[in-house]
Amino acid sequence: MAGTALVVGASGIVGSATAAVLREGGWTVHGLARRPGAQEGVHPVAADLLDAAGTAAALRDLRPEAVFITTWLRQPTEAENIRVNAAMVRNLLDGLRPGASVRHVALVTGLKHYLGPFEAYGKGVLPQTPFREEQGRLDVENFYYAQEDEVFAAAARDGFGWSVHRPHTVIGKAVGNAMNMGTTLAVYATLCRELGRPFRFPGSPAQWNGLTDMTDARLLAKQLLWAATTPAARNEAFNVVNGDVFRWSWMWGRIANWFGLEPAPFDGTVQPLEAQMANDAPVWRRIAEREGLAEPDLARLASPWHTDADLGRPIEVVTDMSKSRRLGFTAYQPTDDAFFALFGQLRADRLIP
């Protein structure tokens, strides 16, 4: 049943996909961002969530039934991540409280719930894979946990239901996004083709040889809407991945072929993209000017550090989806098709040649 929704982080990968799915479902959609862009059918709301008073003023006249939190701000330390990102969630929910309209809040986090935050990523004693929701929290500070606690406290205070959604690496389109493997790989492939550079897998043998999975932003958006409108999903946390598994030793060749490249043999050495692409900004600007691309700033398209973190992990990572499957969420998306759809969209939007 359609209603009024507020998408927080509406210009990001997950937020823009969520806004699109809601619009298709007949919802009235408000999109909150610090600098909202033009999105068809989305009513822009400009707010800095670190400014409590400004956030309250921006939300004063909104009456959303469903709220989708799809944003965060990266900080130099985990302590700062916790302070800043908890404050953003708290200020948002405090700002919505006077309207008393909220019936459901969905929070998007991720597999760092199981793998640990950036400062301790993939280290120490980790849960057994496939990751399952009942495995709970690690004994380490994590800004995802702080965000959850803000939602739980507000829900207990104000009486709304909640859901938490934990995707693996998300495939989708956004410019200026801090975690964007799909576009990063598209840009890397374009640079390799331009420079005659080998298209090398940058990560670890564990990722090259092991099983993994990913999450299409559109599928995640469908789960968000499903949870917000399904009584059995109230007050539950859900993993969310595409439903297939693959090995990068297979996927790397599929991506290479899409760009007309031969994949370089993998010799087992980690060759991070952050180092490989460190001096590529002038090259990208030259490509953009020659091809008439929409974004000449490499830093706004590629996030090598995040792609390196995912592809450099020393452990296999797969995710169990049984919980939401049992409750009726059955959406499925082949991951190679998700990559190809993204690459086609990037080309159509003149973000890659």
Side-chain angles (χ1 to χ4, degrees):
M1 184 170 59
T4 300
L6 174 64
V7 179
V8 183
S11 59
I13 293 176
V14 177
S16 59
T18 301
V21 165
L22 289 165
R23 292 198 316 271
E24 291 166 5
W27 287 67
T28 299
V29 181
H30 300 273
L32 186 150
R34 282 175 294 172
R35 293 178 294 276
Q39 293 174 267
E40 183 180 355
V42 176
H43 305 285
V45 179
D48 178 354
L49 294 179
L50 291 175
D51 177 356
T55 297
L59 298 174
R60 183 176 295 122
D61 297 326
L62 294 187
R63 297 294 182 271
E65 289 99 2
V67 179
F68 302 90
I69 304 174
T70 70
T71 191
W72 69 289
L73 282 177
R74 187 187 182 200
Q75 303 300 311
T77 67
E78 193 58 21
E80 278 297 290
N81 275 330
I82 290 168
R83 183 186 68 81
V84 167
N85 289 284
M88 290 168 61
V89 174
R90 182 168 61 252
N91 292 340
L92 169 73
L93 298 179
D94 284 350
L96 290 167
R97 187 183 189 191
S101 64
V102 177
R103 300 291 174 263
H104 187 89
V105 172
L107 171 67
V108 178
T109 61
L111 293 197
K112 285 189 288 296
H113 181 93
Y114 309 107
L115 286 163
F118 291 117
E119 291 178 2
Y121 191 63
K123 300 174 183 177
V125 178
L126 300 176
Q128 186 180 44
T129 58
F131 294 138
R132 292 179 169 84
E133 295 91 344
E134 63 268 21
Q135 289 168 319
R137 296 180 174 184
L138 300 175
D139 186 20
V140 61
E141 295 297 312
N142 189 324
F143 81 90
Y144 282 170
Y145 306 160
Q147 287 181 308
E148 287 183 344
D149 288 343
E150 293 293 343
V151 171
F152 299 160
R157 178 191 71 195
D158 298 335
F160 57 75
W162 54 265
S163 57
V164 175
H165 303 260
R166 300 170 186 157
H168 198 169
T169 304
V170 177
I171 303 171
K173 180 201 164 191
V175 176
N177 190 271
M179 300 192 297
N180 194 339
M181 180 189 285
T183 303
T184 298
L185 293 180
V187 168
Y188 175 60
T190 302
L191 288 164
C192 287
R193 189 174 58 197
E194 175 78 10
L195 299 170
R197 180 186 297 169
F199 186 62
R200 299 184 186 280
F201 180 72
S204 68
Q207 293 304 303
W208 180 256
N209 296 311
L211 291 172
T212 193
D213 47 31
M214 294 183 73
T215 307
D216 188 290
R218 299 165 299 178
L219 183 138
L220 171 53
K222 292 174 184 176
Q223 194 195 58
L224 289 167
L225 178 55
W226 167 81
T229 55
T230 301
R234 181 184 174 95
N235 297 350
E236 297 285 352
F238 298 105
N239 294 331
V240 52
V241 287
N242 289 334
D244 64 346
V245 293
F246 64 91
R247 302 180 200 277
W248 277 106
S249 57
W250 174 80
M251 184 68 78
W252 198 249
R254 299 278 288 163
I255 293 173
N257 291 339
W258 198 94
F259 287 95
L261 297 168
E262 284 292 326
F266 180 62
D267 64 5
T269 62
V270 177
Q271 302 188 47
L273 288 180
E274 195 162 26
Q276 288 194 52
M277 300 173 69
N279 300 313
D280 286 343
V283 180
W284 184 259
R285 187 169 294 277
R286 185 173 69 242
I287 295 171
E289 291 172 355
R290 185 186 70 217
E291 304 291 340
L293 301 184
E295 181 52 72
D297 185 353
L298 179 63
R300 286 183 50 76
L301 291 176
S303 51
W305 68 273
H306 180 259
T307 299
D308 287 339
D310 275 359
L311 298 184
R313 290 180 300 213
I315 56 172
E316 180 178 272
V317 176
V318 286
T319 314
D320 182 73
M321 279 280 288
S322 298
K323 187 176 184 181
S324 59
R325 298 285 193 237
R326 288 190 178 104
L327 295 177
F329 181 73
T330 58
Y332 170 81
Q333 171 64 60
T335 300
D336 52 344
D337 288 350
F339 272 122
F340 301 156
L342 171 64
F343 299 156
Q345 184 181 10
L346 294 174
R347 184 165 285 172
D349 293 345
R350 303 304 301 159
L351 289 168
I352 61 173

